[in-house]
Amino acid sequence: GENVEQHPSTLSVQEGDSAVIKCTYSDSASNYFPWYKQELGKGPQLIIDIRSNVGEKKDQRIAVTLNKTAKHFSLHITETQPEDSAVYFCAASPEPNTGNQFYFGTGTSLTVIP
Amino acid sequence: DTGVSQDPRHKITKRGQNVTFRCDPISEHNRLYWYRQTLGQGPEFLTYFQNEAQLEKSRLLSDRFSAERPKGSFSTLEIQRTEQGDSAMYLCASSPPLHTGELFFGEGSRLTVL
């Protein structure tokens, strides 16, 4: 089955700096890669996703890049703010439209220092 | 609030007891997922329903675990003869028929087995 690895496990940045979180996956059949943000006491919430036919996607301060050949994808957060502090999870799925399971990474705890 | 609702939010039980969790998905979401999350880990897939049909189950789901979605609306997850290793956050998620890939998570049910 799919194996998703995520690094780093913890990340501290100064407010205004950029944060980068990296994930690798093992199954070449995976073609959908979402990123979820989980705040304390809440369920994960989708913040951005990318499909395998796209190399990069951006939404305001958040961007995701995908290198399908190398089987890795990254989350980039620019101009970080204290409210970005949370745990971030990457995930991979072979085909979400069929309802297949999603494989999550182990999470990155991001702290933005004011 | 019309998000995914889970009940109870917290459950403390003694080893050997049975527990049941309920999930009410977003209305009109025909897909429903159960995930388990332990401290410092990402969500792990347990099972998936499309309407009332349970289409996929993880090997993690031992025979002490059973999930139902009798009328294709709410779902229950029952754990029989609980063990300390069952202590975790149990997350429910749903997604609509035209599945773009996004999972809408509830806030979870935290189980502590003493």
Side-chain angles (χ1 to χ4, degrees), chain A residues 48-93:
Chain A
I48 195 167
D49 57 12
I50 191 168
R51 283 181 162 77
S52 59
N53 58 347
V54 175
E56 183 174 357
K57 184 176 178 180
K58 191 172 182 180
D59 182 5
Q60 299 183 345
R61 297 185 298 108
I62 295 173
V64 58
T65 58
L66 170 66
N67 183 327
K68 203 157 164 58
T69 303
K71 296 194 182 70
H72 66 72
F73 56 113
S74 300
L75 177 71
H76 304 252
I77 306 174
T78 58
E79 301 170 24
T80 53
Q81 300 168 3
E83 51 265 39
D84 294 329
S85 295
V87 179
Y88 292 81
F89 294 98
C90 62
S93 174

Side-chain angles (χ1 to χ4, degrees), chain B residues 16-63:
Chain B
Q17 298 295 305
N18 299 343
V19 296
T20 299
F21 300 113
R22 176 180 169 125
C23 172
D24 286 89
I26 295 171
S27 61
E28 299 175 358
H29 279 197
N30 65 332
R31 302 169 191 241
L32 188 146
Y33 307 76
W34 284 99
Y35 280 81
R36 180 171 65 189
Q37 186 177 26
T38 53
L39 199 62
Q41 299 295 316
E44 291 179 298
F45 171 80
L46 293 179
T47 191
Y48 157 68
F49 290 86
Q50 186 163 324
N51 300 311
E52 66 276 7
Q54 188 174 21
L55 297 185
E56 201 166 339
K57 287 199 300 185
S58 166
R59 285 187 292 267
L60 293 175
L61 211 65
S62 78
D63 55 7

Side-chain angles (χ1 to χ4, degrees), chain A residues 1 32 34 36 38 41-46 49 51 87 89 95-107, chain B residues 9 31 33 35 37 40-45 48 50 56 58-59 91 98-108:
Chain A
Y32 174 69
Y36 283 80
Q38 186 172 28
K42 296 189 175 182
Q45 185 172 14
L46 181 74
D49 57 12
R51 283 181 162 77
V87 179
F89 294 98
E95 180 47 69
N97 286 325
T98 65
N100 280 356
Q101 58 181 288
F102 292 70
Y103 299 87
F104 285 83
T106 51
Chain B
R9 294 291 312 280
R31 302 169 191 241
Y33 307 76
Y35 280 81
Q37 186 177 26
Q41 299 295 316
E44 291 179 298
F45 171 80
Y48 157 68
Q50 186 163 324
E56 201 166 339
S58 166
R59 285 187 292 267
L91 291 165
L98 292 178
H99 187 31
T100 61
E102 181 174 3
L103 299 180
F104 295 81
F105 281 92
E107 295 189 332

Side-chain angles (χ1 to χ4, degrees), chain B residues 57-95:
Chain B
K57 287 199 300 185
S58 166
R59 285 187 292 267
L60 293 175
L61 211 65
S62 78
D63 55 7
R64 296 185 298 105
F65 287 69
S66 63
E68 294 183 342
R69 195 182 183 197
K71 297 182 180 178
S73 56
F74 73 90
S75 175
T76 57
L77 177 69
E78 181 183 17
I79 309 173
Q80 296 182 327
R81 306 181 303 281
T82 52
E83 302 172 355
Q84 287 185 327
D86 297 332
S87 295
M89 176 75 83
Y90 290 86
L91 291 165
C92 177
S94 68
S95 63

